[in-house]
Amino acid sequence: MSELIPGGNLPLPDGTLTLRVPGPFDLCALVTDAGGRVRDDADFVDYNQRSAPGVRLFDGGIRPAGLRAGADGVTVVLSPAATSGALGALPAPTLHVTDAGGRPVARFAPPPAQRETVLLLAELYRRGPAWKLRALGQGYADGLAGLARDFGVEVTEEAPSTPRPGPGPVHAPGSDGFLALVNAARAEAGSPAVTLDPRLAAAARAHSSGMAARGAPASEGADGTSVHQRITACGYAYLTVGEHLVSGPRTAAEFVQYCLSEERSRRTLCEPAFTEAGWACVPDRRSGDLYWTALWARPFTPAGPARTVTEVLALTNAERAAVGLPPLAADPLLAAVAQAHSADMVAHAFYAHTSPDGREPWDRAAAAGSRHRRVGENIACGQRSPAEVVHGWMDSPGHRANILGPAFSHLGVGFTGGGRDGTYWTQLFGG
């Protein structure tokens, strides 16, 4: 099961997905086309209109393959079960997603709400022939009517609504002390200061513009380009990278405070490994909301990958030592195969143990001349540091079994940045 953060996404299994939020909440869903708009009122599934092709939230689930022709997405929306009231007055919601067999697929706990009465919780969207789930966490303070209008549903109101103010003036984040605020927070956490890199700033500007045009935070643009691919396209090669994709804050101070209000987000802003940053905020001209992209990175150096893989090996052996197992020896041949697989995942935009040519980990090891009789592999993507990736593997039973496998004696580690999801990691075990 994947724990998602705002903007995070993952591939979905085939079949029907069940989405559940325990507590005093209602769910509704909007079926949208490629432009993020509904076709007509029939695409708005709520308690009164309980189903649409492929969507039966209350007594079934969502089956992407069963959506109407032309549908490219389903946005899941949360509101209080009572007729009115702000979400901030209720317990924090958590979305649970399970597959057709009842197995957990994903969990998402959005940032705490305040005055919002409606929350864009998650989006199921088509990417080529496959479907993915993206965590959102964007709130509305004007209820389902405002949400419906933004998605193209016609809503008849008994009295004219108060006009929404247009966007106020937008200032470049650097002009109101953004860098000073960030570095003050980092200093308090014991982390070194970051400096501005114009390539990261250009990538942030491009990504914020895409989010503002779409009217929703997202890790990918409408054309499928991820925020990490934008960084690479701007000529920035990184050793590690992180991001904040946020809507709502009106000032740099509000943005930094938002990033510090939740543990995972705070860790990103204060990550000691980051040395450079770039940021931008762009308004949605329809709503006036600001869409922020902050990018944090350490630039690539020739010695960087070697240091990184050495640390992964050391942390792996520390986990083995903790349970009385002997250390794994560094294996240059396995390392070359692991590095090639990480690079292959970036170059060919896939994330799997099986290569596009059909080869499995043991096939790749044997082809390179490995004589190990037993081979195992761990992969991961998106983690910012060796400590984070090893911790993630240890939290997963299958990956943990490889790290603590008594039959393994050697290890090769591969690491590459630059793909759709940032960093790609491979451990190749031999015994």
Side-chain angles (χ1 to χ4, degrees), residues 315-316 319-320 323 378 389-397 399-401 403-404:
L315 290 168
T316 299
E319 296 290 351
R320 290 175 64 88
V323 295
N378 287 344
V389 74
V390 172
H391 178 78
W393 280 327
M394 288 298 292
D395 276 348
S396 167
H399 299 95
R400 179 187 177 94
I403 288 175
L404 302 183

Side-chain angles (χ1 to χ4, degrees), residues 5-356:
I5 61 172
N9 63 79
L10 79 163
L12 289 173
D14 294 334
T16 299
L17 298 158
T18 300
L19 289 81
R20 181 175 60 88
V21 180
F25 307 107
D26 283 337
L27 292 181
C28 65
L30 299 110
V31 180
T32 57
D33 56 25
R37 307 280 283 180
V38 299
R39 184 174 61 183
D40 53 37
D41 289 3
D43 284 343
F44 195 175
V45 178
D46 63 3
Y47 194 82
N48 295 313
Q49 182 169 280
R50 300 178 66 89
S51 67
V55 181
R56 298 178 63 87
L57 276 180
F58 303 95
D59 54 1
I62 299 177
R63 186 170 66 90
L67 296 177
R68 64 164 174 80
D72 273 351
V74 180
T75 300
V76 179
V77 181
L78 177 137
S79 60
T83 56
S84 63
L87 288 167
L90 299 176
T94 300
L95 172 67
H96 300 266
V97 183
T98 54
D99 65 13
R103 293 174 291 270
V105 172
R107 180 180 178 274
F108 173 49
Q114 301 296 329
R115 296 179 297 106
E116 295 89 342
T117 57
V118 167
L119 190 70
L120 300 185
L121 197 56
E123 176 189 28
L124 288 74
Y125 65 102
R126 190 194 306 272
R127 183 63 66 226
W131 284 81
K132 301 180 76 174
L133 174 74
R134 178 186 292 119
L136 297 177
Q138 179 192 6
Y140 284 76
D142 54 353
L144 289 174
L147 169 77
R149 284 191 299 272
D150 281 355
F151 277 78
V153 179
E154 292 296 328
V155 176
T156 301
E157 298 181 306
E158 295 182 2
S161 60
T162 303
R164 300 180 72 179
V170 179
H171 303 286
S175 69
D176 57 3
F178 190 98
L179 188 60
L181 289 165
V182 165
N183 283 332
R186 290 176 62 84
E188 187 174 347
S191 299
V194 293
T195 58
L196 175 65
D197 185 278
R199 296 163 297 178
L200 292 174
R205 169 64 60 178
H207 198 74
S208 283
S209 296
M211 294 193 297
R214 188 172 185 175
S219 60
E220 295 181 356
D223 62 353
T225 302
S226 75
V227 64
H228 303 108
Q229 289 171 317
R230 293 191 195 280
I231 296 171
T232 303
C234 286
Y236 190 95
Y238 55 82
L239 193 63
T240 185
V241 67
E243 74 283 343
H244 285 104
L245 310 175
V246 179
S247 68
R250 299 297 304 177
T251 66
E254 287 183 12
F255 174 82
V256 172
Q257 187 57 45
Y258 173 86
C259 293
L260 293 172
S261 66
E262 190 270 326
E263 177 59 24
R264 185 183 180 99
S265 178
R266 187 193 65 80
R267 287 202 308 267
T268 298
L269 188 142
C270 297
E271 169 59 52
F274 298 143
T275 59
E276 297 179 338
W279 51 86
C281 62
V282 175
D284 179 344
R285 297 297 176 183
R286 297 160 297 185
S287 66
D289 291 338
L290 290 182
Y291 286 84
W292 297 76
T293 300
L295 303 175
W296 320 94
R298 174 183 286 272
F300 178 88
T301 61
R307 245 187 342 261
T308 298
V309 301
T310 297
E311 189 172 349
V312 171
L313 175 61
L315 290 168
T316 299
N317 281 333
E319 296 290 351
R320 290 175 64 88
V323 295
L325 290 169
L328 302 172
D331 188 312
L333 191 150
L334 291 179
V337 177
Q339 183 62 35
H341 188 60
S342 286
D344 195 31
M345 288 191 288
V346 170
H348 294 97
F350 75 99
Y351 176 63
H353 294 288
T354 305
S355 303

